[in-house]
């Protein structure tokens, strides 16, 4: 087995990978930027080396430096995590050249799936529907994009060629707003992936985003670990994922069919290691191949929860050259799992990111709750990286049990010092469309509002007022003056709490 | 000590009787407030009901995060209120809002000009931070009186970007 | 279903029960002593009422006050947790009399199993071996105990009649040391259960402590959820539990047989709700009935981890009058689970308890790790209650995976402000007898020593010295004086780390 | 600044060169020490190796908890040491140990008398706390010089229970 692995990432995923290595008896090497000296992945690693200043392009995107460090400290493999260098074929190739095992697919597979045109051609040959788009045209200039748009028809999506994680994506309703949107998409893509190229794709209305987890070894064995439902998104950023998908729950044959297709698609690019095939399902249950993520996904834990398989450990084993530890028929699914992504975004202030020092964090624990986090009390959240600071995954014997457990866990989760989107998740867990599993990728942006949703929940105006007053009083006390005034009546009555819904 | 707490247009008169008793809406309540680990996280037991919430001071008010819901509450002691309300001579001034950068980042677009009239919710500035384009919007309708940045500027956290002044008509209820 | 449940307990188990209630949509009532106003169970509950001053006998043992509160706040049931009033038949009866559902067995079952004589007579009739003892004689005076001892023979154990949790237990090797041991046993029993009565029992040499989890409803349906291995004990206090037992791993028929006996024993006292049948296994794999714990066990989470069943939620359902949610044939065991009890005891100072304010706590998270804790950063540990502050449970696809995961989690677990026994667990996880599953109930006291065990682990004398020096320097700096002295040679070489075992 | 760290009878000369460099056993090492959340929990990176440990000050020494193992380390700067070792005139005094109550509790048994000789590891006092009988033992052989409690006393945390003095023969190595 590998002796030492360098983790070319940060935050919760770096910690997740460190844990897998430790459990496999493999030494770990962390790399860190100026902002991350105190980060959890640095504290947990066996070795840690400074990479560069805080901006990603000067640290976590510096493949050359990272490979250099890996060789100096005699690591024999590199795990890229997700984001940063995870889907850069050139980096995978560079590792190979440096005789370092890249824990992921071959560079050629990354390239093949990275080039949307090639990818779709290949899977289309396998008889899979693909969403129409401009990817076949190569990278187009602005005017070319504007000219091509009508062929696809509106609404459509502008997507970053080297995209992922919803970065550099824009929805376009009509030709008028398109020029500005192209600009901002290119800007975001440039700053996220160092590549401003974009392409166009038809926007499938009322679609659900459902993906399949693939695991493949270097001997041509490919299995799938079932699907993940990822339709709860905002600006194409996934916020909540679950497995199994409530949409497929009653449709074993469709699940079966999609799983087979996912495996075919992976074989089409001679895939090895963990990967994810993303599908769009339209309202008629037709499914379209969207793309393949040739890396570990943020949301992999929901699959781990229902299958019991440690996906990261399996990635490392197959990268080392071992056969898959399980056959397709060995995979059994138990219960239901849901993941909420905890971002430092203020849901009460149009999801603006928040930074600063975390002064207190009290993660929920107890039965069926898993937290994957990269932060701790005393850690300073810098503005340089992704707002995802923690993932909360719950497992339940049934989906309803998982939902109530998530509610319970969200309420327990205390984070002080930065604003998080926990209230968003709490609201979502009380929303009918989510509870009933009837939602699509547009739900958050088009039908969900913190305010409206809140209307359906009991108000605690009296309690909130009292709490604020007591706090204010304790702080003003020193300058408080007794002021006598005539007694006054209040028609307002103490609210009867017998009717309060369970918290 | 007597206070008036105002939330969602409702006014709650609250009198602090002693450390463990308040008169709330004419009713005597037994209360026990405890800060958790010395943080702005509070455990409050009122007549046996146990609540936990965050209480943050705002510019003019307090924000309470309670059971997954946010409340903006303004509190004044009765003396203040009486002074303010009796002091009928003066005209209540138009509200001024100072837009500060919520975090360090790059101002990729500035969509308004100094002196311009803006609607509530209108996008003023697009700030790129954490690799995301964040739209900063007008909290209420008014006029841009001071614009301190231009597109391309990189800004520090809490740096003042612009000032917005509401017409005098605005009522304090719009504080929310 | 119940509308409101009062939890007559504190600490991690009160929190565990609160969580189950919340997930079932039941309102929760906490009770607390002077020392516990800020305790987690008070913070999490819907309602919380003051019980009395800190000593248990003035608060958590005041059944009268608790029932009074339950009626005042219109609770319809009381969950006693473990310890305190959990096995007091009189309290269960008092609840009944007050028309409050006692979430546990009928008072008569508690009494039957509480009276060791009756209990053993009953199960003996079912053809089960029992450990010989004096319990048949009723409560004996000191001289009677001394007279009876020879009939049993040495070594023997002094046990508290209303015992549990190892409190008021003493091993006796010979008649000489017996008088003092009787005294200290009575003292401990008195202060723990308000009952100083003790009895004698033969000490089975080389025995393993293996118990079976029982779940029964009020319709006579009884199932077992498999066994728990609890032989890692110190002064009869369980420290580590696991399921399945490595001792039974290869002996399905013995497991089968014990499970059947456990169910018979429960039926013998017409048992309902959750309970545990404790067995001793001698070196010849003969098993003896020890006793039945008529309550929830501290170590129930290891069973939850392998079966996926929420035992506390099931307790509440059957107490309300529902049928068992599963039949015996529905129970499936997956993987292996281990629990380490985190106590505020200093393993480097003969396990002396430690108290004080916890200034920092960073619980381990990630795949397969569950923490059940009653404390948090900023909480003051008082000397009044049990030293158990937290339980760490890990699950793995196999026992070896569970062990390495536990190692990983123990290293991650940071608690500052009080001393804990985490280093004890870390040492144990590296000890051959534990890894190989070859240990008995005497292992910790007779063969295990932190020091000897440490011998087998690599030393970090150089690192420790450097760390201490840097810390000392940073603190002395202000009064440091530069002092020049002639250069000196050191034959000591920087330790080569290539050989360091995985952390 | 030069220090001598002593652990398990081994002496490590350590010279602090600057904030990020030390001379350790004749070798220059790159070090970076950071306190985690301002606690006695430290993250140390030395020549790329990352360690995390607790460092608590003791009476005369430091206790380090590192990778599930405890180390007792005494540190003195070279000046102190030189003074101590060159100062040959004086006789190093017998060690004195003060037994304090590790936590509040009830002294249920006091098994020794003032002036009594005790062996290393011998039980001195049984203290009941957290419902457990805790045996307080002698850290080394010596004589009980001051006994401040009797059976039945309830004691406060850190209350002095007795003093133990070791014969002069004892070497400082037994500090461990």
């Amino acid at each position: 087995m590998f002796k030492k692995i360098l983790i070319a990432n940060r935050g919760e995923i770096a910690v997740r990978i460190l844990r897998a290595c430790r459990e496999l008896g493999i030494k770990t090497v962390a790399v860190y930027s100026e902002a991350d000296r105190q980060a959890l992945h640095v504290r947990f690693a066996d070795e840690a080396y400074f990479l560069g200043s805080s901006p990603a392009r000067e640290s976590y995107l510096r493949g050359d430096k990272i490979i250099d460090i890996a060789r100096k400290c005699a690591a024999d493999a590199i795990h890229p995590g997700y984001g940063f260098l995870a889907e850069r074929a050139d980096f995978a190739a560079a590792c190979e050249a440096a005789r370092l095992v890249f824990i992921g697919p071959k560079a050629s597979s990354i390239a093949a799936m990275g080039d949307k045109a090639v990818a779709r051609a290949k899977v289309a040959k396998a008889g899979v529907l693909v969403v129409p788009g401009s990817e076949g045209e190569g990278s187009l200039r602005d005017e070319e994009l504007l000219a091509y748009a009508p062929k696809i028809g509106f609404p459509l999506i502008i997507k970053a060629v080297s995209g992922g994680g919803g970065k550099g994506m824009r929805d376009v309703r009509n030709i008028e707003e398109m020029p500005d949107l192209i600009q901002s998409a290119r800007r975001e893509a440039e700053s996220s992936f160092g590549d401003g190229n974009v392409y166009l794709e038809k926007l499938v209305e009322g679609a659900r985003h459902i993906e399949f987890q693939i695991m493949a070894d270097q001997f041509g064995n490919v299995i799938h670990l079932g699907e993940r439902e990822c339709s709860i998104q905002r600006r194409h950023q996934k916020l909540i994922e679950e497995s199994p998908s409530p949409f497929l729950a009653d449709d074993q044959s469709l699940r079966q069919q999609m799983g087979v297709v996912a495996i075919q698609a992976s074989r089409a690019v001679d895939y090895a290691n963990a990967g994810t095939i993303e599908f769009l399902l339209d309202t008629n249950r037709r499914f379209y191949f969207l793309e393949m993520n040739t890396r570990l996904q943020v949301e992999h834990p929901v699959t781990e929860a229902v299958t019991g398989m440690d996906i990261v450990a399996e990635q490392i084993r197959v990268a080392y050259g071992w056969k898959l530890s399980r056959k397709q028929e060995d995979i059994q699914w138990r219960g239901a799992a849901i993941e909420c992504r905890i971002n430092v975004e203020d849901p009460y202030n149009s999801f603006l990111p928040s930074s600063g020092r975390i002064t207190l964090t009290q993660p929920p624990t107890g039965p069926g709750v898993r937290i994957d986090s990269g932060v701790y009390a005393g850690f300073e959240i810098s503005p340089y990286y992704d707002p995802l600071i923690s993932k909360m995954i719950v497992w339940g014997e049934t989906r309803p049990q998982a939902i109530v457990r998530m509610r319970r866990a969200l309420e327990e989760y205390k984070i002080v010092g930065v604003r998080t989107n926990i209230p968003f998740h709490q609201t979502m867990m009380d929303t009918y469309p989510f509870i009933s599993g009837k939602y699509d990728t547009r739900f958050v942006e088009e039908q969900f509002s913190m305010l409206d949703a809140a209307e359906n929940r009991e108000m605690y105006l009296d309690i909130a007022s009292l709490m604020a007053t007591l706090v204010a009083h304790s702080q003003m006390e020193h300058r408080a003056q007794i002021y006598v005034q005539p007694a006054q009546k209040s028609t307002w009555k103490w609210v009867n709490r017998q009717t309060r819904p369970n918290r | 000590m007597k206070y008036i707490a105002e939330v969602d247009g409702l006014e709650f008169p609250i009198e602090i009787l002693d450390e463990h008793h308040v008169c709330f809406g004419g009713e005597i309540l037994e209360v026990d407030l405890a800060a958790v680990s010395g943080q702005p996280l509070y455990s409050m037991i009122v007549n046996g009901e146990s609540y936990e919430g965050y209480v943050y001071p705002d510019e003019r008010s307090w924000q309470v995060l309670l059971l997954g819901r946010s409340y903006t509450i303004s509190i004044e002691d009765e003396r203040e209120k009486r002074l303010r309300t009796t002091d009928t001579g003066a005209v209540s001034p138009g509200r001024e809002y100072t837009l500060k950068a919520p975090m360090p980042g790059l101002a990729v677009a500035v969509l308004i000009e100094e002196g311009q009239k803006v609607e509530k919710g209108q996008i003023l500035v697009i700030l790129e931070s954490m690799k995301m384009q964040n739209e900063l919007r007008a909290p209420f309708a008014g006029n841009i009186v001071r614009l301190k940045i231009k597109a391309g500027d990189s800004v520090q956290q809490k740096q003042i970007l612009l000032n917005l002044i509401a017409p005098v008509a605005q009522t304090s209820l719009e504080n929310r």
Side-chain angles (χ1 to χ4, degrees), chain A, chain B:
Chain A
M1 183 37 82
F2 296 120
K3 295 269 168 304
K4 190 188 282 188
I5 292 178
L6 182 148
I7 293 111
N9 215 306
R10 66 176 301 283
E12 66 87 16
I13 196 62
V15 173
R16 168 70 184 92
I17 297 161
L18 278 161
R19 285 170 168 152
C21 292
R22 192 140 294 174
E23 292 178 12
L24 289 168
I26 300 167
K27 299 198 140 315
T28 52
V29 181
V31 287
Y32 62 97
S33 71
E34 225 150 16
D36 279 343
R37 163 60 182 95
Q38 300 241 27
L40 213 51
H41 72 287
V42 176
R43 292 173 48 194
F44 281 1
D46 291 305
E47 299 178 32
Y49 298 95
F50 179 71
L51 205 45
S53 55
S54 301
R57 68 187 66 80
E58 291 158 46
S59 49
Y60 298 105
L61 284 171
R62 287 294 302 274
D64 54 340
K65 277 193 183 178
I66 289 169
I67 288 174
D68 197 45
I69 291 169
R71 301 186 66 168
K72 280 212 182 71
C73 71
D76 33 20
I78 291 183
H79 196 308
Y82 55 70
F84 295 131
L85 301 165
E87 290 183 281
R88 293 267 293 268
D90 56 345
F91 179 68
C95 289
E96 230 170 301
R99 292 187 310 293
L100 292 162
V101 174
F102 176 83
I103 298 177
K106 288 185 296 300
S108 59
S109 309
I110 299 176
M113 280 301 183
D115 182 328
K116 316 292 180 194
V118 178
R120 294 180 184 213
K122 280 182 181 291
V123 300
K125 229 191 281 120
V128 187
L129 293 174
V130 299
V131 183
S134 73
E135 72 286 344
E137 313 300 311
S139 36
L140 304 175
R141 281 174 286 105
D142 296 8
E143 54 274 29
E144 294 171 321
L145 289 169
L146 291 166
Y148 195 91
K151 294 184 201 151
I152 299 174
F154 294 94
L156 55 76
I157 313 179
I158 304 171
K159 285 189 167 186
V161 168
S162 357
K167 302 258 166 41
M169 279 199 189
R170 292 293 182 276
D171 299 346
V172 189
R173 299 265 149 217
N174 54 57
I175 195 82
E176 291 68 30
E177 62 179 17
M178 197 164 159
D180 293 358
L181 292 168
I182 293 175
Q183 292 324 311
S184 63
R186 285 195 194 278
R187 242 193 335 260
E188 205 170 86
E190 178 63 44
S191 74
S192 303
F193 319 106
D195 170 7
N197 285 318
V198 299
Y199 66 100
L200 307 179
E201 183 177 279
K202 174 129 197 68
L203 191 160
V204 179
E205 306 265 24
R208 296 181 75 112
H209 175 123
I210 294 179
E211 60 187 26
F212 273 71
Q213 176 68 54
I214 291 298
M215 188 60 73
D217 62 24
Q218 299 176 36
F219 305 93
N221 304 307
V222 187
I223 64 174
H224 75 82
L225 303 180
E227 83 278 10
R228 288 185 291 257
E229 165 72 64
C230 310
S231 301
I232 299 292
Q233 311 179 345
R234 184 178 162 276
R235 299 158 137 210
H236 300 285
Q237 305 263 6
K238 297 169 185 170
L239 288 168
I240 298 175
E241 301 96 348
E242 49 182 322
S243 182
S245 163
F247 192 65
L248 296 189
D250 53 346
D251 196 340
Q252 193 53 43
S253 77
L254 180 55
R255 172 181 287 117
Q256 187 62 32
Q257 202 185 341
M258 293 174 78
V260 171
V261 168
I263 290 177
Q264 284 171 352
S266 324
R267 290 192 186 284
V269 293
D270 186 15
Y271 199 82
N273 213 288
T276 298
I277 304 284
E278 295 190 335
F279 293 106
L280 278 185
L281 266 83
D282 67 17
T283 45
N284 310 321
R285 296 185 163 259
R286 262 193 318 248
F287 61 92
Y288 303 83
F289 169 83
L290 199 51
E291 63 176 324
M292 179 172 198
N293 293 321
T294 56
R295 53 165 168 90
L296 184 65
Q297 297 279 89
V298 174
E299 58 271 23
H300 74 278
V302 293
T303 301
E304 294 184 319
V306 291
T307 61
M309 180 187 257
D310 185 326
I311 292 175
V312 178
E314 189 77 351
Q315 276 192 298
I316 294 170
R317 285 188 291 257
V318 298
Y320 186 70
W322 291 8
K323 282 203 162 62
L324 283 177
S325 64
R326 301 203 214 168
K327 297 190 166 27
Q328 187 67 62
E329 56 269 30
D330 304 333
I331 304 299
Q332 281 169 7
W333 290 271
R334 181 193 248 189
I338 303 175
E339 169 179 280
C340 287
R341 298 191 185 193
I342 311 302
N343 295 336
V344 281
E345 295 173 339
D346 184 352
Y348 297 111
N349 188 6
S350 54
F351 291 88
L352 283 179
S354 155
S355 70
R357 183 177 303 281
I358 294 181
T359 54
L360 175 143
T361 166
Q362 186 182 307
T365 56
V369 178
R370 165 180 171 183
I371 300 281
D372 275 25
S373 168
V375 303
Y376 57 89
F379 183 68
E380 178 89 27
I381 305 278
S382 76
Y384 299 104
Y385 314 111
D386 195 275
L388 177 74
I389 58 167
S390 172
K391 303 183 305 197
M392 176 147 60
I393 303 94
V394 301
W395 176 89
E397 292 183 66
T398 62
R399 184 172 185 266
Q401 197 201 348
I403 292 175
V404 293
R405 186 160 277 172
M406 181 60 85
R407 282 187 189 149
R408 182 276 279 180
L410 285 165
E411 189 184 334
E412 285 182 17
Y413 206 167
K414 311 292 182 195
I415 299 179
V416 185
V418 291
R419 299 308 183 91
T420 75
N421 63 350
I422 287 174
F424 164 84
H425 290 299
Q426 290 182 286
T427 310
M428 182 61 73
M429 291 298 139
D430 289 346
T431 309
Y432 175 76
F434 181 81
I435 294 168
S436 59
K438 294 187 173 50
Y439 54 83
D440 64 34
T441 55
R442 303 268 146 220
F443 174 64
V444 173
E445 278 148 303
E446 293 175 3
Q447 298 153 55
F448 178 84
S449 123
M450 290 294 285
L451 235 58
D452 305 350
E455 292 315 320
N456 314 327
R457 317 177 74 200
E458 200 197 348
M459 305 266 281
Y460 291 92
L461 294 174
D462 49 357
I463 297 301
S465 305
L466 182 55
M467 193 178 277
T469 304
L470 290 175
V471 172
H473 176 71
S474 66
Q475 295 186 10
M476 300 189 223
E477 215 155 15
H478 63 286
R479 63 172 181 75
Q481 301 171 18
I482 304 304
Y483 171 80
V484 189
Q485 73 139 36
Q488 60 157 41
K489 282 226 166 349
S490 158
T491 60
W492 179 83
K493 288 263 159 291
W494 182 249
V495 175
N496 174 348
R497 290 263 165 251
Q498 297 322 308
T499 62
R500 186 195 317 161
N502 172 65
R503 294 150 41 178
Chain B
M1 188 66 174
K2 291 188 178 182
Y3 296 91
I4 304 286
E6 190 228 303
V7 55
D8 282 9
L10 284 172
E11 286 199 349
F12 296 132
I14 300 174
E15 180 175 10
I16 313 284
L17 303 172
D18 61 40
E19 206 194 337
H20 288 297
H21 296 84
V22 301
C23 178
F24 192 139
E27 186 178 345
I28 305 292
L29 304 177
E30 197 178 345
V31 295
D32 182 359
L33 182 81
V36 174
S37 317
Q39 297 290 333
L41 175 64
Y42 295 89
S43 162
M44 180 175 78
I45 301 178
V46 44
N47 279 8
E49 292 172 7
S50 176
Y51 297 92
E52 191 157 292
Y54 303 86
V55 182
Y56 302 100
D58 250 356
E59 311 269 301
R60 276 193 192 66
S61 56
W62 297 81
Q63 196 188 354
V64 176
L65 219 59
L66 179 69
L67 299 172
R69 201 169 162 157
S70 168
Y71 304 84
T72 303
I73 296 165
S74 52
I75 297 166
E76 45 189 356
D77 69 51
E78 245 167 10
R79 204 178 78 278
E80 288 168 8
K81 185 180 176 71
R82 192 151 143 290
L83 291 174
R84 185 166 60 68
T85 45
T86 51
D87 156 19
T88 45
V91 191
S92 78
R95 274 163 62 224
E96 175 158 355
Y97 171 77
T98 303
L99 176 61
K100 296 178 182 158
M103 60 193 322
L106 176 73
V108 293
V110 177
L111 304 168
I112 41 79
E113 292 164 1
E114 191 153 310
Q116 179 178 334
K117 209 177 206 56
V118 297
E119 289 314 305
K120 175 171 185 176
Q122 182 174 338
I123 303 177
L124 308 175
V125 176
I126 297 179
L127 188 67
E128 182 180 296
S129 193
M130 288 189 175
K131 298 189 190 162
M132 306 272 297
Q133 311 267 325
N134 307 293
E135 298 159 343
L136 308 184
R137 297 165 180 275
F140 51 79
N143 300 312
I144 305 298
V145 287
R146 272 177 298 279
L147 178 57
K148 300 221 169 78
I149 51 155
K150 58 181 185 333
D153 290 0
S154 67
V155 299
Q156 296 309 308
Q157 184 159 21
K158 296 212 166 68
Q159 178 177 330
I160 294 176
L161 307 181
L162 57 79
N163 293 69
L164 173 68
I165 285 196
V168 176
Q170 300 293 328
T171 85
S172 72
L173 257 173
E174 282 221 351
N175 257 321
R176 276 170 296 120

